[in-house]
Amino acid sequence: MPESVVKPGLPDPPSGYRYLDFLGGPSHLVREDTCRGCFMNLAERELPDILAPVYDDGVITVRQDAEWAVPGFMVVGVRPHIGALDQMELPLVERLGRVTHSVRRAMRERLGLAAVQMYQEEKLDRPHFHVWMLPLWPDTMAAHRINPRIYESNIARYLTLFTLESHEADIRRCADEVRGFLTGVPELGADTRA
């Protein structure tokens, strides 16, 4: 659910506040200037367990997307509040590339995904660097005539085709598969426990 939409049953947030919604969990009322990435790092224990990192080296994390229930939708993020790639030191950029490369390999080798779309958006307000790695599940794409080409895309509709109620077991299975793969990548050498 996009941040700007208030869940049914919740009152409008007070002036200067907004809600952050998380897959499988309650909404959190936060100050309007609160960065989602920083909130997730600071309030990690308050997040639903389905969002536990599948990889965490203390600086880079990989976890299921916080809002959309697409199985295997991995987000590679950084813990420090960094808004853009060019604001990172080169060693972090290089490490981020290795982690992202390994996640993509896991998605191909363990989840059988031939196609993944990767997005990195720089928000104007509250930017916190992350890369979305959106799996294009072929059966769902075909059944709903989803066009993956960016300039002709209906990917926004694709995101809505998955619900936590229907796909929770698949989300957890995909996370376990990616975690298992990353655990076996010696050069990553980080904590990938659930």
Side-chain angles (χ1 to χ4, degrees):
M1 171 182 302
E3 293 177 29
S4 59
V5 177
V6 176
K7 282 184 180 178
L10 287 178
D12 288 338
S15 178
Y17 287 81
R18 68 188 179 122
Y19 289 105
L20 291 179
D21 294 314
F22 295 98
L23 190 64
S27 296
H28 294 268
L29 182 64
V30 298
R31 290 175 44 103
E32 206 166 59
D33 61 351
T34 301
C35 162
R36 177 183 288 276
C38 290
F39 177 85
M40 290 178 70
N41 290 327
L42 294 172
E44 201 157 28
R45 292 192 172 141
E46 296 176 37
L47 298 177
D49 72 331
I50 201 164
L51 300 180
V54 299
Y55 175 84
D56 187 350
D57 68 6
V59 177
I60 297 171
T61 61
V62 179
R63 67 178 86 221
Q64 168 70 32
D65 182 77
E67 296 180 272
W68 299 103
V70 180
F73 187 174
M74 294 289 119
V75 177
V76 180
V78 294
R79 287 194 179 275
H81 185 76
I82 299 172
L85 191 67
D86 65 314
Q87 296 171 343
M88 295 179 194
E89 298 294 326
L90 282 178
L92 177 55
V93 173
E94 292 165 356
R95 179 129 181 100
L96 192 65
R98 282 192 301 277
V99 171
T100 304
H101 175 265
S102 295
V103 173
R104 179 60 185 103
R105 280 187 52 217
M107 294 171 89
R108 182 182 307 281
E109 295 176 26
R110 292 285 183 93
L111 304 183
L113 290 161
V116 170
Q117 287 190 347
M118 295 173 56
Y119 307 89
Q120 191 277 309
E121 72 174 352
E122 292 181 13
K123 295 179 180 178
L124 295 175
D125 296 320
R126 302 174 304 272
H128 194 113
F129 184 88
H130 61 284
V131 176
W132 286 332
M133 299 181 73
L134 176 65
L136 301 181
W137 293 104
D139 293 346
T140 303
M141 299 287 285
H144 296 277
R145 302 178 70 135
I146 301 296
N147 184 342
R149 295 181 73 164
I150 297 291
Y151 57 88
E152 299 173 4
S153 178
N154 50 356
I155 287 295
R157 184 161 99 51
Y158 173 75
L159 292 170
T160 67
L161 298 173
F162 301 87
T163 64
L164 182 60
E165 296 74 27
S166 298
H167 296 91
E168 182 173 358
D170 290 331
I171 291 169
R172 291 183 186 280
R173 179 189 56 79
C174 289
D176 288 344
E177 289 291 338
V178 172
R179 181 181 293 110
F181 184 91
L182 297 177
T183 300
V185 179
E187 59 269 23
L188 295 185
D191 184 358
T192 56
R193 292 170 286 160

